[in-house]
Amino acid sequence: MTKKTLIALLLLVAVASIVPFVVSNYRTFQFTLVLVYAIALLGLNILTGYNGQVSLGHGAFYAIGAYCAAVLMDKAGVPYWATVPAAGAVCLVVGFLFGLPALRLEGLYLALATFALGVSMPQLLKYKALEEWTGGVQGIVIAKPDAPWGLPLNSDQWLYFFTLGVALAMFLLGWNLLRGRVGRALVAIRDHHIAAEAMGVHNALYKSLAFGVSAMYTGVAGALGAIAVQFVAPDSFSIFLSILLLVGIVIGGLASISGALYGALFIQFVPNLADEISKAAPWAIFGIFMILFVYLMPTGVAGALRMLSERQKRHNFPAAKNEEEVP
Amino acid sequence: MPLLEVRDVAVRFGGIVALDGVSFDVEPGSIVGLIGPNGAGKTTLFNCVSRLYACDRGDIVFDGGSLLALPRHRIAGAGIGRTFQNVALFRSMTVLDNVMLGAHSRSRSGFVSNALRLPRVPREERATRARARGILQMLELESLADKAVATLPFGTCKRVELARALAAEPKLLLLDEPASGLNHEEVSELSGLIRRLRERLRLTVLLVEHHMGLVMSISDRVVALNFGRVIARGTPPEVQRHPDVIEAYLGAA
Ligand SMILES: Nc1ncnc2c1ncn2[C@@H]1O[C@H](COP(=O)(O)OP(=O)(O)O)[C@@H](O)[C@H]1O
Ligand SMILES: [Mg+2]
């Protein structure tokens, strides 16, 4: 990381820490959801953007994470903060196990298999035999946690900071994972899986671990989301959520860490914005936004920003370019 | 003892017999040229050694052990590096990252230690990067280290592939048509490079090449294939003079 990105990052964290003190509680809640989505999108991006395995069903892992949190709090009295790592662990295992048979599937076939998972999840959650835990169609209501240690924060503000802390940790772990040996191997598998294996990458292991890690991120996000929304029900996790997550990583930028944040802002705020523009056809407006973004920024927001900063650099130091020209 | 022993290897694709009982040895430290017209089965043989294709019959012994007992991803670690006829680089990655990935089998750190960035991770990463840069320097590619490979011409990509293969510190290097896409001058430079690499890195080389000048000048031994069978083997002059080889090439032309 360069000094400049580090400063930008610290600035971002500083701004993020001020947000809940200058906006309403409802807006604070919305920003909490942005952080939640950002974690989920980073997870999906590790799988789809970096490793090239398309998932049309990540909403299922989000749902599993959310229900883990809700059931643990509701039935076992586990404190809310402890449900987050538990949800992550469960989704890590479930994702890894799902990733094993998915190894045999490539491209669109994998997309279909994950779609099947995503589309069946709400119905599984309504399943009669599980009703005692899941609350069936009714779902589960969760109490809102208060700020601990007598901190002068209301519960929306506290949840925001709690989520911000988890998000920072998850992004740090993700950045570490992706910037070294493992990250290279994941991208190599996406770019040329035969060559990757010939260079010694254990493709099957890496692909299923990528699935597990990706599901873990999305599960952690699901748990945080459930705590923030204070409610889980099967129909909150329809296949639409899975598609929206995919929209998020494409708009934000595939194979980009910061892209997860841009994508999260998009899927949180653009539907609201569309709703304000037209109550009658909000999703049509949303669709127009999507097409505009994809058209104007074909490599996602992150890609567009990268290109802008490179152009700026070239503008500032025109000589630098010639030096590294290919001979 | 030979470093590589190919014993009676046969491979069939549906009705096509790509390899039909091929046997030959590669002595340690030697450069062996593998020649034959298009479709003779040279790349298929490489793919058997890499375990990308399964042999229908026969055995391939490397360094005293059968390769057929190893899964694909263990071949690089066992000491066999290769390049691909049609360039199989990681297109979105930089030249340096491609070469560093080549060292995957020579490094250990996994998901957990990477995510937590345990102290040995940056240490290993630094060592890998230093080795990769050294190889780039040896191949005169260092000025391209941060270029995305997608922007490079074919001949340069072949060289990057060679660098990537060397990053795994192989004992045996399989080169599939390394001279394709090179001009006359570059070909003679390449032959010097392959010789130098053999000396410096104590490599054994199995070389598939259509450029006869190159093969005959640097090979210690040559094996000629046609229609999946060995039609001649021996020193370059012996193979060059062999009537079946002359026939195969005239027939193909
Ligand atoms: N994956 C494959 N599927 C079907 N046929 C193949 C495959 N690979 C090679 N072949 C066939 O095997 C024969 C040998 O091919 P190859 O080893 O590529 O020849 P060479 O490298 O000597 O030009 C050819 O007839 C080719 O069409
Ligand atoms: Mg070939």
Side-chain angles (χ1 to χ4, degrees):
Chain A
M1 192 167 17
T2 63
K3 220 177 206 150
K4 233 163 121 188
T5 29
L6 187 68
I7 292 170
L9 205 68
L10 290 176
L11 218 65
L12 182 71
V13 173
V15 170
S17 309
I18 298 170
V19 163
F21 299 111
V22 295
V23 302
S24 68
N25 283 342
Y26 181 66
R27 277 259 181 268
T28 300
F29 163 75
Q30 285 184 319
F31 278 110
T32 303
L33 287 185
V34 168
L35 295 170
V36 166
Y37 287 139
I39 297 170
L41 292 181
L42 179 56
L44 181 57
N45 224 344
I46 288 172
L47 183 72
T48 302
Y50 285 89
N51 196 218
Q53 304 191 72
V54 177
S55 171
L56 284 177
H58 251 48
F61 298 115
Y62 190 93
I64 293 172
Y67 266 85
C68 273
V71 172
L72 282 174
M73 286 163 74
D74 188 50
K75 301 291 171 205
V78 175
Y80 69 95
W81 51 267
T83 65
V84 176
V90 169
C91 286
L92 176 70
V93 173
V94 174
F96 181 78
L97 293 179
F98 187 86
L100 285 179
L103 286 173
R104 306 200 158 273
L105 305 171
E106 296 225 335
L108 290 173
Y109 296 93
L110 176 64
L112 289 195
T114 51
F115 182 80
L117 178 72
V119 86
S120 55
M121 189 49 68
Q123 263 134 56
L124 292 177
L125 292 171
K126 288 178 199 165
Y127 187 52
K128 271 272 180 286
L130 296 175
E131 210 170 87
E132 195 183 324
W133 289 291
T134 60
V137 192
Q138 305 299 320
I140 302 169
V141 177
I142 301 169
K144 205 175 208 172
D146 288 319
W149 315 306
L151 288 173
L153 299 170
N154 65 38
S155 54
D156 284 312
Q157 289 170 328
W158 164 244
L159 263 186
Y160 173 86
F161 281 110
F162 177 68
T163 309
L164 180 64
V166 176
L168 285 173
M170 297 300 279
F171 269 72
L172 179 64
L173 292 177
W175 178 56
N176 282 341
L177 186 70
L178 294 168
R179 69 179 158 142
R181 178 175 184 264
V182 171
R184 271 194 304 274
L186 291 175
V187 173
I189 291 171
R190 179 197 71 193
D191 279 7
H192 202 303
H193 68 100
I194 294 172
E197 201 149 39
M199 298 304 132
V201 178
H202 192 343
N203 284 8
L205 182 69
Y206 270 69
K207 284 173 82 172
S208 12
L209 280 175
F211 228 110
V213 168
S214 169
M216 179 188 77
Y217 270 79
T218 308
V220 163
L224 290 167
I227 296 166
V229 176
Q230 301 161 60
F231 176 61
V232 295
D235 293 322
S236 328
F237 310 112
S238 70
I239 192 66
F240 193 74
L241 173 62
S242 299
I243 305 296
L244 210 55
L245 293 177
L246 203 65
V247 168
I249 61 165
V250 175
I251 298 275
L254 286 166
S256 151
I257 293 177
S258 60
L261 186 59
Y262 307 131
L265 287 164
F266 186 91
I267 61 177
Q268 172 59 32
F269 288 118
V270 172
N272 292 349
L273 186 63
D275 201 51
E276 274 164 36
I277 293 171
S278 160
K279 285 266 179 289
W283 291 112
I285 305 285
F286 180 79
I288 291 171
F289 269 106
M290 238 170 70
I291 290 167
L292 269 179
F293 266 74
V294 171
Y295 182 74
L296 295 174
M297 300 184 244
T299 50
V301 178
L305 290 177
R306 202 177 310 129
M307 222 155 4
L308 264 182
S309 95
E310 260 156 39
R311 197 172 303 165
Q312 193 67 38
K313 239 182 272 169
R314 232 174 293 157
H315 185 77
N316 290 346
F317 313 98
K321 186 176 177 260
N322 296 333
E323 271 171 31
E324 44 177 334
E325 203 81 85
V326 192
Chain B
M1 191 180 69
L3 183 63
L4 181 77
E5 295 168 58
V6 178
R7 291 183 190 155
D8 192 30
V9 167
V11 174
R12 188 174 298 126
F13 298 105
I16 301 170
V17 180
L19 292 176
D20 189 8
V22 170
S23 302
F24 65 88
D25 292 348
V26 177
E27 294 299 327
S30 65
I31 297 179
V32 173
L34 187 59
I35 63 168
N38 272 327
K42 307 178 296 293
T43 298
T44 302
L45 183 81
F46 271 23
N47 286 340
C48 287
V49 176
S50 303
R51 303 278 291 117
L52 298 178
Y53 292 167
C55 303
D56 293 322
R57 193 179 78 218
D59 196 4
I60 302 175
V61 178
F62 176 73
D63 223 1
S66 172
L67 285 181
L68 306 190
L70 292 181
R72 275 176 205 174
H73 65 271
R74 293 246 179 267
I75 298 297
I80 301 178
R82 73 169 289 180
T83 66
F84 293 83
Q85 183 175 340
N86 301 314
V87 174
L89 287 172
F90 309 116
R91 286 183 62 80
S92 72
M93 290 163 51
T94 62
V95 169
L96 181 65
D97 276 343
N98 267 274
V99 179
M100 286 177 76
L101 189 286
H104 188 86
S105 61
R106 292 283 168 256
S107 42
R108 290 276 79 84
S109 67
F111 275 69
V112 175
S113 54
N114 269 258
L116 299 175
R117 198 85 180 164
L118 298 182
R120 64 191 158 90
V121 172
R123 214 181 304 136
E124 184 182 83
E125 192 77 356
R126 266 196 306 276
T128 304
R129 184 172 297 114
R131 185 194 303 161
R133 286 204 182 274
I135 291 167
L136 287 178
Q137 208 155 23
M138 195 158 54
L139 299 188
E140 289 164 10
L141 289 168
E142 71 267 37
S143 64
L144 304 178
D146 297 321
K147 289 274 175 216
V149 295
T151 63
L152 302 177
F154 187 75
T156 312
C157 285
K158 290 233 121 182
R159 196 172 265 244
V160 174
E161 264 208 326
L162 175 59
R164 184 180 66 179
L166 293 175
E169 298 176 347
K171 290 183 204 159
L172 173 67
L173 184 61
L174 310 176
L175 299 176
D176 202 343
E177 305 197 12
S180 68
L182 300 187
N183 65 31
H184 208 71
E185 204 175 313
E186 290 165 333
V187 170
S188 66
E189 194 193 298
L190 177 69
S191 83
L193 177 66
I194 294 174
R195 278 212 202 90
R196 252 180 296 133
L197 289 176
R198 166 169 66 164
E199 301 311 321
R200 269 180 75 170
L201 307 174
R202 275 181 243 102
L203 282 174
T204 304
V205 180
L206 182 57
L207 170 72
V208 165
E209 190 45 70
H210 281 302
H211 197 289
M212 280 307 143
L214 176 65
V215 186
M216 295 304 171
S217 69
I218 67 171
S219 300
D220 302 305
R221 316 276 300 170
V222 176
V223 175
L225 289 183
N226 198 16
F227 298 115
R229 290 168 181 270
V230 175
I231 54 170
R233 76 187 91 209
T235 62
E238 284 166 9
V239 171
Q240 224 164 355
R241 262 185 272 118
H242 198 286
D244 288 352
V245 175
I246 295 167
E247 162 80 27
Y249 274 90
L250 289 179

